[in-house]
Amino acid sequence: MKESMIQGVSDVFLPVSDLDRSIEWYSTMLGLNLRFKDDENKSAGMNTGNDIGLCLVQVKNHKPLAFPENDFLTEITFNFRTSEIDRLHETLKANGVETTDIYDSLDSTFRCFTFEDCDGNKLNAVSA
């Protein structure tokens, strides 16, 4: 196999309708810390607890991310990893966030659930 020239993923970019509202939502609901905010370019970086950052980008005419129909039956573009999946699930539900029930992964190696952010973007949490 050929040696990869890639050492990992540095950031995931997520479109949002209102930058300040999204910063507040990700801070309050998921406990992410603000790494930077760029008012001129309407973007912000959030720490996710590892080397991969979440970059929120305010867009015009926001539409929630929609993953195309597929045989894998996924609707999400990335997972948040957590060692407290039950607590996170209950916290989100208690704060009115739409979530699925917690379920086992296809290979039963982890537990997960899907939820929506304040813009209706579908995201997933998986147990660490």
Side-chain angles (χ1 to χ4, degrees):
M1 179 179 256
K2 192 175 182 180
E3 183 179 335
S4 177
M5 293 182 280
I6 304 298
Q7 287 75 48
V9 173
S10 67
D11 294 281
V12 174
F13 292 77
L14 190 63
V16 300
S17 63
D18 181 306
L19 185 61
D20 290 326
R21 179 179 71 147
S22 293
I23 290 169
E24 177 66 23
W25 192 92
Y26 280 89
S27 296
T28 302
M29 296 296 168
L30 301 183
L32 301 185
N33 294 315
L34 184 64
R35 191 173 76 215
F36 73 86
K37 182 179 178 197
D38 182 343
D39 288 315
E40 183 179 342
N41 294 302
K42 295 184 173 66
S43 62
M46 308 292 290
N47 286 324
T48 63
N50 60 17
D51 292 340
I52 301 169
L54 176 63
C55 188
L56 306 173
V57 180
Q58 184 171 311
V59 298
K60 296 172 178 69
N61 305 314
H62 180 273
K63 291 179 181 69
L65 291 178
F67 206 95
E69 184 178 339
N70 59 86
D71 293 334
F72 191 56
L73 304 177
T74 189
E75 298 179 288
I76 53 97
T77 54
F78 63 91
N79 297 320
F80 285 104
R81 192 171 46 236
T82 178
S83 60
E84 299 186 50
I85 195 159
D86 294 299
R87 184 171 153 229
L88 176 60
H89 188 255
E90 288 305 315
T91 298
L92 291 174
K93 284 177 60 174
N95 283 286
V97 176
E98 283 211 25
T99 73
T100 65
D101 291 334
I102 297 175
Y103 57 93
D104 288 333
S105 65
L106 292 175
D107 62 1
S108 297
T109 57
F110 57 89
R111 297 167 61 222
C112 47
F113 69 91
T114 301
F115 61 98
E116 292 185 7
D117 72 2
C118 57
D119 278 312
N121 293 312
K122 288 191 184 221
L123 307 166
N124 212 49
V126 300
S127 58

